[in-house]
Amino acid sequence: MSKELHSKTKIDPFGTTAIEDYEKLYEEFGIQPFKPLLSEIPDPNAAMRRGVIFGHRDFGRILSAMKNHEEYAVMSGIKPTGEFHLGTLQTAREVTYFQQHGAKAFYCIADVEAYEDNHIQFERSQKYAIGNVADLLALGFDPKKGFIYKQSKEERVKDLAILFGRGVTLATMKAIYGEHHMGLYLSALIQAGDILLPQTKDFSGPKPTVVPVGIDQDPHLRLTRDLAFKFRRKYKFIPPSSTYHKLIKALDGSPKMSKRDPMSYFTFEESPEVIAKKIRNAFTGGRPTAEEQRRLGANPDICPIYDLYLFHFFEKDEDVTRLYHEECKGGCILCGEDKQRLIEIVTTFVKEHQRKRHQYMDKAREILKAE
Ligand code: SF4
């Protein structure tokens, strides 16, 4: 939504999101902290263990389904406006985690939103979508146990959106999202259809459903939970649960990557050389001189290089802890050395990912019924 909570915090799925303090979101929005649940989660993933996933709504319902081996679903997706990047990688890993832990997985290609929000024609978004699906498969999503679809071609989602149109007024949409053209409100209703699709008759009816998203997507969750309640009598919808991950910093140190600035992020289709250059040029929390850094230590809390390790590129939690406390704050490593180590890890990952992705392109075309 476009509401500003206080001077530096803003949550807007169709615009800029900036979070000054994640803790404040608990009181302001009724998001629950994730940490107290951690000890109960079977085999929590790195994002859960490291506090990258910091909040949830109604995750207890999902936890109970996981523990009791009951039916549940995971639903998320991607807006096909470009190649996979660090933000979409996060969501894909979360969807894959729940799929590997018993969830029926749904992944939507939000091409209607790409059209309405980013003015990307359907022919163009189709090209991105094929690559995005190949990325998802390369990251371990099992299409045999999941359903991947495009919003523009999924009649059941559009039918739900038509239905939901009767459940909201223009004033509600403005209150949640701010003033926009009608198409964006329509795409929000379609997203509500995406989120509740796993609970329709064709997919064996109502079931707990978790939607792992970045905090910027919370307005869609609040709208959908409200619609699930309004249409509960006929459809028996269970309000969707959600998990919220923090937003990874941009390479220039700003709070969120921006497509408008290609140096602020990298995609997995770029060459390792280009990615290495972007990492070398990235902002850090380092000191002006090597001597000062060795003596006083640096600041990982403002450093995008630290975020890259934390979110994606250190497999072991001990390595993250050591970087934070000993190497960075303790002044045992200089930023140039740290960047070089990261470049080596990212290069290995990207080369392997690109190899797998290439192998999945035909499968992705088949799934999306593309030429
Ligand atoms: S040592 Fe590493 S984590 Fe610390 S500020 Fe420098 S680049 Fe960032």
Side-chain angles (χ1 to χ4, degrees):
M1 77 173 200
S2 56
K3 179 181 154 195
E4 292 207 18
L5 305 176
H6 51 91
S7 58
K8 289 189 188 156
T9 295
K10 193 177 178 209
I11 296 181
D12 182 356
F14 300 133
T16 308
T17 290
I19 308 295
E20 188 187 35
D21 181 354
Y22 282 95
E23 300 278 320
K24 289 191 178 147
L25 299 176
Y26 300 139
E27 306 152 28
E28 195 77 30
F29 277 116
I31 289 173
Q32 299 295 311
F34 196 79
K35 201 171 171 189
L37 299 180
L38 197 59
S39 60
E40 294 181 57
I41 297 173
D43 186 26
N45 66 10
M48 293 171 176
R49 295 192 309 267
R50 297 175 191 176
V52 170
I53 294 176
F54 71 96
H56 72 95
R57 288 188 193 274
D58 275 349
F59 191 76
R61 205 177 267 139
I62 302 301
L63 191 52
S64 154
M66 287 173 91
K67 282 185 185 166
N68 299 318
H69 303 285
E70 289 162 1
E71 188 185 27
Y72 75 106
V74 59
M75 194 283 139
S76 200
I78 187 170
K79 197 159 61 159
T81 57
E83 308 294 349
F84 242 60
H85 54 72
L86 297 158
T88 43
L89 172 65
Q90 183 64 40
T91 311
R93 282 185 161 160
E94 288 165 21
V95 170
T96 306
Y97 164 83
F98 286 111
Q99 186 183 44
Q100 288 165 353
H101 290 78
K104 281 188 179 176
F106 292 73
Y107 195 80
C108 109
I109 301 295
D111 58 346
V112 172
E113 193 185 347
Y115 175 78
E116 296 293 353
D117 191 16
N118 304 81
H119 311 278
I120 297 194
Q121 299 296 326
F122 291 99
E123 303 78 50
R124 199 165 136 226
S125 61
Q126 168 81 337
K127 289 203 181 93
Y128 290 134
I130 294 164
N132 295 163
V133 170
D135 283 308
L136 182 72
L137 301 179
L139 290 165
F141 186 97
D142 181 353
K144 291 196 281 309
K145 294 186 196 152
F147 181 51
I148 301 172
Y149 65 92
K150 278 193 302 187
Q151 287 176 326
S152 63
K153 297 291 175 201
E154 182 45 65
E155 295 299 321
R156 291 166 290 198
V157 164
K158 289 192 275 190
D159 288 348
L160 284 171
I162 292 167
L163 185 83
F164 295 157
R166 273 182 51 184
V168 286
T169 63
L170 189 56
T172 307
M173 296 308 264
K174 278 188 189 169
I176 298 176
Y177 296 104
E179 180 98 30
H180 289 290
H181 67 279
M182 289 306 291
L184 267 189
Y185 298 146
L186 172 66
S187 81
L189 292 176
I190 286 180
Q191 289 227 12
D194 292 323
I195 293 172
L196 292 172
L197 180 69
Q199 300 198 43
T200 54
K201 230 173 30 205
D202 284 0
F203 295 99
S204 75
K207 62 181 71 61
T209 303
V210 61
V211 187
V213 283
I215 184 60
D216 53 333
Q217 300 298 306
D218 184 52
H220 295 316
L221 261 301
R222 285 185 294 118
L223 173 70
T224 308
R225 285 166 61 85
D226 188 44
L227 289 167
F229 182 75
K230 282 189 175 137
F231 289 88
R232 70 192 179 288
R233 282 225 182 92
K234 183 159 182 211
Y235 292 88
K236 311 269 183 295
F237 288 134
I238 297 170
S241 307
S242 47
T243 60
Y244 299 103
H245 56 250
K246 293 180 180 173
L247 305 175
I248 190 165
K249 288 183 197 64
L251 294 176
D252 62 4
S254 53
K256 194 184 171 201
M257 296 174 299
S258 162
K259 287 234 162 119
R260 279 183 286 275
D261 177 7
M263 289 306 280
S264 76
Y265 69 101
F266 57 82
T267 76
F268 300 118
E269 264 304 272
E270 287 175 290
S271 71
E273 294 74 27
V274 169
I275 295 174
K277 189 172 169 208
K278 289 185 176 185
I279 292 176
R280 260 184 225 110
N281 288 337
F283 173 81
T284 70
R287 299 273 177 183
T289 67
E291 185 279 320
E292 269 184 76
Q293 184 142 335
R294 287 207 178 90
R295 186 161 47 86
L296 300 169
N299 184 359
D301 294 321
I302 59 166
C303 181
I305 301 298
Y306 173 70
D307 266 18
L308 283 164
Y309 282 119
L310 173 76
F311 279 65
H312 297 300
F313 294 109
F314 264 156
E315 279 180 22
K316 294 185 188 151
D317 294 348
E318 309 87 90
D319 290 342
V320 178
T321 309
R322 193 179 52 248
L323 170 59
Y324 188 90
H325 292 287
E326 293 171 32
E327 294 178 340
C328 182
K329 283 191 148 185
C332 298
I333 194 169
L334 297 178
C335 295
E337 296 162 357
D338 202 13
K339 284 178 169 178
Q340 190 51 41
R341 173 175 63 182
L342 180 65
I343 288 168
E344 280 157 30
I345 297 172
V346 172
T347 300
T348 306
F349 172 81
V350 167
K351 281 187 179 162
E352 179 60 10
H353 180 76
Q354 287 179 352
R355 187 188 63 75
K356 286 194 209 158
R357 179 188 197 270
H358 183 70
Q359 289 175 349
Y360 282 116
M361 286 299 279
D362 284 345
K363 185 73 190 165
R365 280 191 200 93
E366 184 193 317
I367 288 170
L368 294 175
K369 300 180 181 58
E371 300 289 297

